Amino acid sequence: EALGHDAWPTVRIAAIEALTPDGEASEALAAVLSQTSFAVVQAALVALGTNPGDRALGALMTFAEDGRRNPALRREAIESLGTRCDPAALDVLERIASANADPALPPLEQALGHTALASMARIDPARARQWLTRAEANEQATAAVARAMRSRCEPATRVSRGR
């Protein structure tokens, strides 16, 4: 009830945090992504990064690819995809990295590409290295991959889906 109806963002954020480990709450957490409060949506994106529910991965991928969304929130969604360590996100991450690879893009858009590449490197370092080679990536992208590979996903860190 507090997720969508409380006037205070801090109350909605507390509700999000309380529901984070509950796989059955993934649909409610995903619904929060349509709210207007930056802090509330950000909290929901972080929560979906570790929530084991069926809707979490799809909601994060959709949000991350939506160019109408705030770039800082899209970046949060991309980071949460990396946190989930789910190989099912790799195609989306690669599309985002490719779409934001041009060094002529504004810094916020380039940051989306670097974050997507870093998330890809956490999940599948070999695929990220292949992308770097194909794209003739700049130093920032290469550094993002190197940093992410140091904290790459191990099978035990993958968020298991299901209720």
Side-chain angles (χ1 to χ4, degrees), residues 90 116-126 128 144-146 148-149 152-153:
L90 287 168
L117 194 52
S119 288
M120 192 177 3
R122 286 198 73 221
I123 299 167
D124 187 343
V145 167
M149 286 172 54
R152 74 175 189 223
C153 300

Side-chain angles (χ1 to χ4, degrees), residues 18 50 52 70 107:
T50 58
N70 179 308

Side-chain angles (χ1 to χ4, degrees), residues 47-109:
L48 288 166
T50 58
N51 180 277
D54 294 336
R55 282 275 291 126
L57 181 66
L60 286 170
M61 291 191 302
T62 299
F63 195 97
E65 284 198 290
D66 187 347
R68 298 169 298 168
R69 300 289 190 154
N70 179 308
L73 290 173
R74 287 182 67 204
R75 187 174 182 181
E76 193 72 57
I78 294 165
E79 288 176 354
S80 288
L81 287 170
T83 299
R84 291 189 69 77
C85 295
D86 191 328
L90 287 168
D91 288 343
V92 167
L93 292 169
E94 189 164 350
R95 280 195 301 272
I96 294 168
S98 296
N100 295 283
D102 187 342
L105 289 172
L108 273 177
E109 291 179 44

Side-chain angles (χ1 to χ4, degrees), residues 30-64:
V32 171
L33 300 180
S34 64
Q35 292 189 18
T36 58
S37 168
F38 182 96
V40 171
V41 172
Q42 183 178 35
L45 291 167
V46 170
L48 288 166
T50 58
N51 180 277
D54 294 336
R55 282 275 291 126
L57 181 66
L60 286 170
M61 291 191 302
T62 299
F63 195 97

